[in-house]
Amino acid sequence: MSMALEGCSAHQGNVFIVADDNSDRQKLENSVRKHGFEVNCVSSHSRVLAIVQQSRPDVVLVDQEHAKTSGFQLCRDLKNHSHTRDIPVVFAAPQADAQDYSEGFRSGGVAVLLKPLNPAELLTQLETHVALSRSHRGSAGPEKSVEI
């Protein structure tokens, strides 16, 4: 579902959230949207690559609590495709030890945030990586949005 903020002519950036659990996805979506980001969400990993290729978000936020597919593998899949390899991937992890952090970065992620998420840390990471993503693409905004 594509969700634009009502009453906002400009948004902070386009964040694509991947989370299996409806409750976790809704919490992430609400937290990100309230900070002025446009949000697209999906729960099915099998659809993520095609949708991200089409929508070209500024950042992908992956909830690492996946029963079906590892968020790290999803990140590797995104990094292996020319249309998605430059999109920053941020992980939200329930518990991370040194191996989780290392795996997050080895898979191509730019940050691993511990849950429960600190709103200020989440906002800082998203703002930073949206700015870097846009700078890298030479774009002042998202290329396009897709209805999910």
Side-chain angles (χ1 to χ4, degrees):
M1 72 187 87
S2 179
M3 304 209 180
L5 291 171
E6 296 173 2
C8 291
S9 58
H11 55 80
Q12 294 271 21
N14 186 341
V15 177
F16 193 88
I17 297 175
V18 182
D20 290 338
D21 182 77
N22 286 336
S23 175
D24 287 344
R25 187 172 52 255
Q26 189 66 44
K27 287 176 191 174
L28 286 170
E29 180 180 357
N30 290 340
S31 181
V32 172
R33 280 185 38 177
K34 87 174 170 185
H35 291 295
F37 293 91
E38 182 177 318
V39 178
N40 292 297
C41 298
V42 68
S43 61
S44 169
H45 283 213
S46 63
R47 297 180 40 212
V48 171
L49 188 58
I51 294 170
V52 170
Q53 284 178 337
Q54 184 181 14
S55 66
R56 296 284 299 151
D58 295 308
V59 175
V60 175
L61 176 59
V62 178
D63 185 343
Q64 184 52 25
E65 280 188 277
H66 296 297
K68 299 173 189 164
T69 305
S70 162
F72 300 137
Q73 183 57 51
L74 173 62
C75 185
R76 281 190 284 278
D77 292 345
L78 290 169
K79 298 304 175 182
N80 285 329
H81 287 79
S82 61
H83 294 329
T84 58
R85 75 173 35 119
D86 293 330
I87 299 171
V89 176
V90 174
F91 293 102
Q95 180 178 335
D97 57 25
Q99 184 175 351
D100 289 335
Y101 279 111
S102 180
E103 182 65 21
F105 292 111
R106 274 197 312 269
S107 69
V110 296
V112 179
L113 306 177
L114 293 179
K115 291 168 69 178
L117 295 174
N118 174 317
E121 181 182 20
L122 176 63
L123 178 61
T124 299
Q125 288 288 341
L126 292 178
E127 287 175 339
T128 298
H129 293 296
V130 163
L132 290 171
S133 177
R134 288 180 173 184
S135 174
H136 181 74
R137 284 193 294 203
S139 170
E143 293 179 19
K144 56 184 167 179
S145 182
V146 64
E147 193 70 27
I148 302 173

